[in-house]
Amino acid sequence: MKKCYLLGAGSMGTLAAYYLQQAGVDVLAANRPLLTRRLFWPQGTHSASLSLGADDNQPIAFLVVATKGPDTATALTPLLPRLHTASTIICLQNGMGTLDNIALPQGTTVLYAVTTNAAWREQGQVHIVAENTTLLGGELTQAPPWFAKLTAHWPGLSWCDDIVYEQWRKLTVNAVINPLTAIYRCKNGELLTMPKAFEQMQFIAAQCDRIASRMFPHWPNDTLERAIQVANDTAKNTSSMLADVLAGRTTEFEFINGYLIKH
Ligand code: PAF
């Protein structure tokens, strides 16, 4: 991978662009002029500037899609004529089904990244909360040749042969935590201290397990335990859905709980 375009320069997109640049990839801001950001690591350990070149309107071999779910179709549609049979899309988004109604050119390879990294953005500044793990996989039977170089510069990145399962693992936790934090306007950890919210967590988790175990016969029916763990681990975080509500943005509900309901 020599050149890659980034669509959606929120916190996760910016962090991915930073890792890609560290791996020697020329990252351009899709649909945008030159873009600059500053990244801050936890506890003020260090910071870095990131500058992404302006879109050059050339054919796209690699595209990272890191837009919010509801913005994906509008943002991606103008780029479709630049995708071709050898293009690879890396979808780095919350939720599932974000590309479902988009007519990608035949032969486009779609890979999905499932990350437990945490970061938030305030205008041009991206504050990294935690660099955890990122799994990448999708429509390829094995990791592509460019992957090894990327792992050297992307902390916690590994190849996953069953990314759909991992997407469902994350989706179900998000389905339990995100809407309830948005309804109660509370931090993730506070869900565990409110009896009514906790009862609703149990209810949603049971529904998730019911749906997921139809998809995956070996599903461990552990959504509640995992949601409790994540709510504890991210106790002081504002969930992405609450952040959307507070900012007046359309939430990703359709691509999280909505996606589950469709199954
Ligand atoms: O969407 C989010 O905010 C995060 O995925 C999670 C795990 C709920 C933590 O805030």
Side-chain angles (χ1 to χ4, degrees):
M1 189 192 301
K2 286 200 172 67
K3 182 162 88 173
C4 178
Y5 295 80
L6 173 69
L7 187 64
S11 54
M12 288 301 142
T14 303
L15 192 54
Y18 174 80
Y19 297 145
L20 284 160
Q21 273 196 351
Q22 295 299 301
V25 180
D26 183 19
V27 187
L28 303 187
N31 277 345
R32 295 178 73 141
L34 177 92
L35 185 109
T36 53
R37 296 252 187 270
R38 188 141 195 101
L39 291 96
F40 296 87
W41 273 261
Q43 275 96 45
T45 47
H46 63 291
S47 68
S49 295
L50 178 82
S51 174
L52 304 185
D55 199 342
D56 58 4
N57 296 309
Q58 294 300 303
I60 296 173
F62 292 96
L63 175 68
V64 173
V65 175
T67 48
K68 291 264 176 196
D71 303 333
T72 310
T74 309
L76 187 53
T77 302
L79 301 178
L80 294 179
R82 293 165 59 194
L83 295 171
H84 47 81
T85 49
S87 301
T88 298
I89 291 182
I90 299 175
C91 188
L92 176 61
Q93 297 181 291
N94 252 353
M96 291 180 77
T98 54
L99 303 179
D100 278 0
N101 296 319
I102 302 174
L104 298 175
Q106 251 193 347
T108 306
T109 302
V110 182
L111 301 179
Y112 295 93
V114 176
T115 188
T116 53
N117 286 348
W120 53 278
R121 180 170 70 90
E122 199 174 42
Q123 299 187 340
Q125 300 193 342
V126 171
H127 298 267
I128 298 157
V129 179
E131 287 173 297
N132 296 317
T133 58
T134 303
L135 302 173
L136 187 68
E139 298 172 354
L140 290 176
T141 47
Q142 56 184 17
W146 46 263
F147 186 72
K149 183 152 186 213
L150 196 52
T151 55
H153 298 277
W154 186 318
L157 179 66
S158 59
W159 185 256
C160 175
D161 289 326
D162 194 0
I163 200 71
V164 178
Y165 180 75
E166 297 303 333
Q167 286 180 287
W168 273 77
R169 301 293 282 164
K170 179 160 185 204
L171 185 80
T172 45
V173 168
N174 285 140
V176 174
I177 295 179
N178 293 26
L180 291 175
T181 55
I183 289 167
Y184 290 102
R185 303 212 168 200
C186 67
K187 303 276 182 200
N188 295 350
E190 288 173 314
L191 288 177
L192 305 173
T193 64
M194 292 184 277
K196 176 113 180 45
F198 189 68
E199 209 177 283
Q200 288 167 315
M201 284 181 79
Q202 289 172 290
F203 179 76
I204 300 170
Q207 298 290 313
C208 288
D209 284 338
R210 196 173 55 78
I211 300 166
S213 52
R214 280 206 308 257
M215 298 279 302
F216 306 97
H218 59 292
W219 184 263
N221 291 325
D222 59 350
T223 301
L224 183 64
E225 288 94 301
R226 289 181 301 113
I228 292 172
Q229 181 74 50
V230 172
N232 266 319
D233 292 348
T234 61
K236 294 204 171 80
N237 289 15
T238 298
S239 79
S240 52
M241 199 173 285
L242 175 57
D244 287 341
V245 168
L246 296 176
R249 290 186 292 259
T250 306
T251 72
E252 295 175 315
F253 186 83
E254 183 193 340
F255 301 98
I256 300 176
N257 301 68
Y259 186 85
L260 281 163
I261 290 164
K262 279 187 219 145
H263 282 74

